[in-house]
Amino acid sequence: MALQTALRRTPSTLASNPVLFVPVLVLTLLQVPQLLLQSSTPILASIVSLALSALYLVLVPFIQAGLIGMADEALDGRTSLSTFVAAGKEHFVSVFVVYLILLAVNIALGAVAFIAGIVGVVSLYPGGAAGTGGPNTALLAVVAVVVLAAVLAYLVVAFLIQFYGQAIVIDDYGAIDSITHSVGVVRRNVVSVLGYTLLVGVLAGAFGLVVGLGSALAAPQFGANGAVDPFAVGLPSLGAVGASALVVVLGTLFGGFFGTLSVAYYRELTAETRTTAVTP
């Protein structure tokens, strides 16, 4: 019921408040230079990518907090960019702290999976890690289990704390308390949240597939010997321009829709708790 209500309210909220797409549009436009340079100047594209990664570290938490604040206000009527700025400034620190915690967890789990993968690859070579002259089946099994455990751990963490941003902005929780609150919300609504997560995952997967196919059109230029020339300089290819336009349009639509849907859904899940908390 909560998901159905959220899905019903989201399109009308976006239709009456198209300004909700603006913050997401700005974020997606930042990806355009990298995509355009990918086909014309690969080495510069790599530098821009590194610079954007550093910028996103600060920008994404601000936009996340601001967009949640806007969506929360829009679900009750009208909203504006002033709300985005106010919510972003007020809740940036808390959202940023949790963002860093999640980043650290992802890096740690990724490192475990990466190291396990290297061990698995080494064990496939003649002689293997045990010097037996062939692949070490037992070691490969252990590696597979470790990689699978790391992936599952990431999915479980992401599933349980996915509403930390909403908890911070809408219910004014602190960084750590927002994590425990999100876990509690998910545990009380496991089946519903699982359905919501699967829906978002399918939509995100479809979006990623389309963008991936479009990005394939922005392949780097090749040298005379058929190898990629990282120092090539020229105009962006037509494929790169098309891929950039695709990322901007679909990224803006998906980001605005998901950002509003997540807030509408969270409000439905916590409506009873919030009402009880303010009732004297």
Side-chain angles (χ1 to χ4, degrees):
M1 181 63 72
L3 181 55
Q4 294 176 348
T5 302
L7 284 171
R8 185 173 63 252
R9 296 192 64 188
T10 297
S12 59
T13 300
L14 288 168
S16 58
N17 293 275
V19 69
L20 284 165
F21 290 110
V22 173
V24 187
L25 174 62
V26 172
L27 191 62
T28 55
L29 284 174
L30 289 176
Q31 302 177 48
V32 172
Q34 178 188 351
L35 289 171
L36 293 178
L37 290 171
Q38 182 178 330
S39 64
S40 59
T41 316
I43 191 66
L44 184 56
S46 299
I47 296 174
V48 171
S49 178
L50 289 175
L52 286 176
S53 297
L55 177 62
Y56 287 158
L57 186 63
V58 176
L59 191 60
V60 169
F62 185 90
I63 290 181
Q64 181 182 3
L67 184 58
I68 291 174
M70 286 182 71
D72 185 47
E73 184 176 68
L75 286 164
D76 293 324
R78 307 286 293 181
T79 190
S80 65
L81 290 177
S82 61
T83 298
F84 169 78
V85 175
K89 292 169 61 176
E90 180 180 357
H91 302 287
F92 170 76
V93 174
S94 293
V95 175
F96 184 60
V97 168
V98 182
Y99 188 78
L100 289 180
I101 292 174
L102 288 176
L103 182 62
V105 171
N106 290 342
I107 291 175
L109 293 175
V112 170
F114 179 73
I115 293 173
I118 291 178
V119 173
V121 170
V122 170
S123 69
L124 291 175
Y125 284 92
T132 59
N136 189 325
T137 306
L139 182 58
L140 285 175
V142 172
V143 168
V145 170
V146 171
V147 173
L148 180 60
V151 173
L152 288 177
Y154 166 78
L155 293 176
V156 169
V157 170
F159 178 71
L160 290 175
I161 69 174
Q162 61 181 300
F163 299 116
Y164 75 88
Q166 289 82 353
I168 291 172
V169 178
I170 298 174
D171 292 326
D172 206 27
Y173 280 90
I176 304 303
D177 289 339
S178 71
I179 295 176
T180 58
H181 177 70
S182 178
V183 172
V185 171
V186 173
R187 289 180 60 185
R188 290 191 297 270
N189 304 275
V190 173
V191 176
S192 177
V193 175
L194 181 60
Y196 162 80
T197 305
L198 290 175
L199 173 63
V200 173
V202 170
L203 291 176
F207 166 71
L209 178 62
V210 173
V211 172
L213 292 174
S215 297
L217 299 175
Q221 292 182 350
F222 292 87
N225 60 354
V228 175
D229 182 4
F231 299 99
V233 177
L235 295 176
S237 67
L238 183 60
V241 175
S244 300
L246 194 66
V247 168
V248 170
V249 174
L250 293 184
T252 300
L253 292 176
F254 177 80
F257 179 82
F258 170 69
T260 305
L261 175 65
S262 67
V263 172
Y265 181 62
Y266 173 83
R267 285 179 32 146
E268 291 298 321
L269 288 181
T270 60
E272 183 177 348
T273 303
R274 192 180 300 107
T275 301
T276 302
V278 299
T279 300

